[in-house]
Amino acid sequence: MSKTFYVTTPIYYINDKPHIGHAYTTIAADVLARYYRQQLGDANVRFLTGTDEHGQKIEARAKSENKDAKMYADEMAALYVETWKTLGISNNDFIRTTDSRHEERVVKIVNLLKEAEYHGEKVLYQDKYTGLYCVGHESFVKESDLVDGLCPDHKTKPNTVTETDWFFKTKLFIDDLIKVITDDKFQILPITRKNEVVSLLKEAAKGTVNLDFAISRPNIKWGIKLPFGDNETVYVWVDALSNYITALGWPDEKTYQKFWPANAQLIGKDILKFHAIYWPAMLLALDIPLPKTLFVHGFFTIDGQKMSKTLGNVIDPKDMVAKYGNDSLRYYLLRDIAFGQDGDFSETKLKERYTSDLANGLGNLVSRVTNMVEKYCDGKYELSTKSIIPVDVKNFHEALKEYRFDQVLAHLWLVIDVVNKEIDEQAPWKLAKNGEVEKVKQKLNHWVSIVLEINELLEPFMPGTTEKIAKAFEQPVKKAEPLFPRLT
Ligand code: MSP
């Protein structure tokens, strides 16, 4: 296992407040960060998230609210920071693309790209270009991707623009990218996404697809000024992707040297091309090592429908936290939707999980065990000196390292169910009635040991709950307050 661990989320656009999709990626990254902190120590783990604040989309949004772009960005970034706090997110840093520490380094990056050569050819070239620009994507799109002339994701008509931009010659990197991705030197997970990227690169190698991309945009004011252009700003994706290294203090700060290359970059499938092709190509051009793993998760619908403002079904994670508690939301998202696959978010299913797995499962276990320790053992117990949890802990760690969060949780709940059943069957209250006190104590020592083992494994997923459980087992133990009160 590597000695340090650096995990990132995408930096989110601030044209809207955070929704449940943003929360999903951020919670998953938080679980990894907390898990690796347990394994490697706090100082050896770094978890970055942040906000993507420049570009046409944000500029237009601020204007529509009659606000100065920076003022608007400050308000929205604060909302993200606050939301992550509510969700118990333990990020070590929060990067904003309007931070001067970021802007200065992006200038350095584009200056280096301007000079860079790869396989003996200049990486950047200038070209006059006519294309369809989708502001929602902040990207040029192909005519063949449109449905009835509209962007299928944003339902908007892209603008036809003719402009002179600086372009990045992705062509130069195609063969090397195919190689590092195929060899897993730059690992893309799940494998279906890796295959998708490799076949796109192969198309590009044949010349059927052009993956060159603009690194500058003229006439866009809200951005980082291109140092070698007049009236141009750095293309917002080049600006945004750079955050993963600028936040560490690339190139010479200690944090950068300690944590780069990233161990895990988490993204949704919507931004695969940017992270699996543009970003590693930029890094190769700059002679910077590539991230170790890019994990691409799926998208979820809301009760079977696409989440959209027009449908009015956008879910604010803070509302879910207010109703069900932070850890219940975290548990539901990672238990019910297989990480890496598409899924569906449904409040009804969240409620079902809350009642069956949390209130009747974990909550009931903690409540009855603490109750019996208080009642039959004067609040005292002795922990087993060796691991006795009836689950293959090796499998647990393997599954976690492979991002199979749903299976990790399913494993733990199997144990919770087994112990709850054992308690029913062995009915320690009957033994106590018959005066078999020693036997009852032994059994409770066993169950407390298992509960506390589960508690440690569960900490990355449900940090608030596991803290409460640890407190409830401080001796002398008293019957715990319900962890998951009945829903009204
Ligand atoms: N700003 C860019 C990313 C730049 S990273 C250098 C961006 N921002 S975004 O606000 O649109 O966030 C996209 C990300 O939000 C997705 O990649 C995914 O992580 C998350 N999700 C947004 N909607 C989602 C779902 N419906 N389901 C799951 N995740 C979703 O793109």
Side-chain angles (χ1 to χ4, degrees):
M1 200 197 303
S2 123
K3 287 199 175 65
T4 56
F5 189 82
Y6 176 38
V7 57
T8 65
T9 72
I11 49 171
Y12 303 109
Y13 286 131
I14 50 164
N15 59 316
D16 253 317
K17 57 183 193 174
H19 61 59
I20 198 84
H22 305 131
Y24 182 54
T25 322
T26 313
I27 289 170
D30 188 61
V31 168
L32 290 172
R34 286 175 185 272
Y35 172 73
Y36 281 97
R37 284 191 194 111
Q38 285 183 340
Q39 304 296 313
L40 306 171
D42 289 1
N44 294 321
V45 173
R46 193 138 187 110
F47 168 17
L48 175 71
T49 188
T51 39
D52 188 353
E53 304 187 1
H54 287 131
Q56 211 169 330
K57 173 151 71 178
I58 313 297
E59 188 176 48
R61 183 60 207 253
K63 208 178 245 167
S64 78
E65 293 209 2
N66 264 328
K67 283 182 181 148
D68 161 71
K70 181 65 166 76
M71 210 158 75
Y72 171 79
D74 287 346
E75 280 172 24
M76 294 306 286
L79 192 59
Y80 271 85
V81 169
E82 185 205 312
T83 305
W84 299 154
K85 221 181 201 163
T86 313
L87 266 68
I89 302 301
S90 64
N91 51 303
N92 299 92
D93 192 3
F94 188 95
I95 184 91
R96 299 180 53 187
T97 51
T98 52
D99 287 347
S100 57
R101 59 173 175 154
H102 173 77
E103 293 187 342
E104 284 159 15
R105 291 183 166 90
V106 170
V107 168
K108 190 166 181 157
I109 286 173
V110 289
N111 272 331
L112 284 174
L113 289 177
K114 171 97 188 317
E115 300 311 317
E117 290 188 0
Y118 201 71
H119 295 318
E121 273 192 61
K122 282 267 184 209
V123 166
L124 297 190
Y125 64 96
Q126 231 175 348
D127 199 10
K128 191 169 174 194
Y129 182 77
T130 298
L132 296 165
Y133 195 83
C134 169
V135 179
H137 274 109
E138 285 287 14
S139 158
F140 285 100
V141 289
K142 288 189 298 208
E143 184 135 34
S144 56
D145 291 337
L146 306 181
V147 176
D148 298 328
L150 302 181
C151 161
D153 292 334
H154 298 98
K155 310 275 180 263
T156 48
K157 190 165 178 269
N159 310 323
T160 304
V161 294
T162 299
E163 54 189 41
T164 302
D165 299 327
W166 282 93
F167 281 89
F168 184 96
K169 209 176 213 174
T170 314
K171 282 185 199 74
L172 300 175
F173 299 84
I174 303 283
D175 291 341
D176 290 347
L177 283 175
I178 293 179
K179 191 155 188 332
V180 287
I181 294 171
T182 313
D183 293 352
D184 287 336
K185 293 242 163 51
F186 169 47
Q187 182 184 40
I188 300 177
L189 290 174
I191 192 131
T192 45
R193 299 292 168 206
K194 167 179 168 174
N195 294 341
E196 193 180 318
V197 172
V198 171
S199 50
L200 181 61
L201 286 168
K202 284 186 175 160
E203 287 303 315
K206 281 193 266 171
T208 34
V209 184
N210 181 5
L211 292 171
D212 291 5
F213 59 93
I215 69 127
S216 68
R217 298 285 321 277
N219 313 319
I220 305 297
K221 294 208 171 49
W222 180 234
I224 300 171
K225 209 171 161 328
L226 190 75
F228 45 87
D230 33 56
N231 234 352
E232 288 167 79
T233 51
V234 176
Y235 173 45
V236 65
W237 269 102
V238 171
D239 171 352
L241 288 163
S242 305
N243 92 87
Y244 302 125
I245 56 172
T246 64
L248 293 178
W250 168 84
D252 35 42
E253 287 202 12
K254 277 207 188 93
T255 315
Y256 171 74
Q257 271 138 22
K258 180 166 178 178
F259 289 105
W260 190 260
N263 300 75
Q265 300 216 267
L266 307 189
I267 58 162
K269 64 178 184 182
D270 55 328
I271 51 179
L272 178 60
K273 186 174 68 182
F274 302 96
H275 283 82
I277 297 176
Y278 296 1
W279 176 228
M282 278 169 62
L283 290 171
L284 288 175
L286 296 164
D287 203 17
I288 294 176
L290 305 186
K292 292 189 179 141
T293 300
L294 176 69
F295 191 96
V296 190
H297 67 70
F299 252 48
F300 49 78
T301 46
I302 308 294
D303 293 313
Q305 281 185 303
K306 196 180 158 178
M307 179 164 47
S308 84
K309 258 182 150 175
T310 351
L311 289 174
N313 63 354
V314 178
I315 292 186
D316 185 335
K318 284 203 287 190
D319 292 344
M320 294 296 116
V321 171
K323 280 191 187 165
Y324 308 103
N326 174 22
D327 283 354
S328 315
L329 175 66
R330 294 170 64 107
Y331 174 78
Y332 165 73
L333 284 173
L334 296 179
R335 173 68 187 87
D336 230 51
I337 303 166
F339 203 56
Q341 283 165 38
D342 288 338
D344 183 51
F345 180 97
S346 127
E347 198 172 334
T348 313
K349 282 190 280 173
L350 196 170
K351 276 193 220 162
E352 280 167 19
R353 289 270 180 206
Y354 181 98
T355 302
S356 67
D357 300 10
L358 300 179
N360 298 344
L362 179 63
N364 183 34
L365 177 62
V366 169
S367 139
R368 66 208 298 213
V369 172
T370 50
N371 181 32
M372 289 189 286
V373 172
E374 179 181 17
K375 211 158 152 188
Y376 306 129
C377 315
D378 298 324
K380 300 272 165 41
Y381 62 85
E382 268 174 49
L383 286 184
S384 155
T385 48
K386 57 177 189 348
S387 169
I388 50 167
I389 187 173
V391 55
D392 191 339
V393 176
K394 213 175 108 233
N395 281 348
F396 169 94
H397 292 287
E398 253 164 37
L400 215 152
K401 285 181 186 130
E402 290 168 7
Y403 309 85
R404 290 182 276 125
F405 302 124
D406 59 326
Q407 290 174 26
V408 168
L409 291 170
H411 250 71
L412 288 183
W413 256 260
L414 221 61
V415 181
I416 290 171
D417 292 345
V418 164
V419 179
N420 265 328
K421 230 184 233 146
E422 227 173 69
I423 297 176
D424 293 340
E425 282 164 14
Q426 301 188 9
W429 44 91
K430 284 189 192 152
L431 295 175
K433 227 181 195 169
N434 296 340
E436 293 183 79
V437 186
E438 271 318 300
K439 227 178 188 174
V440 174
K441 279 188 181 164
Q442 257 177 28
K443 286 190 186 299
L444 281 164
N445 284 342
H446 178 82
W447 289 324
V448 173
S449 299
I450 294 184
V451 170
L452 291 183
E453 268 194 70
I454 294 175
N455 208 42
E456 201 181 320
L457 297 174
L458 195 56
E459 191 274 339
F461 294 88
M462 305 181 76
T465 304
T466 51
E467 199 184 323
K468 280 191 204 159
I469 296 176
K471 275 229 168 75
F473 280 96
E474 278 171 8
Q475 303 193 57
V477 176
K478 289 207 167 61
K479 182 178 183 197
E481 293 290 317
L483 292 170
F484 304 98
R486 206 169 283 280
L487 295 174
T488 44

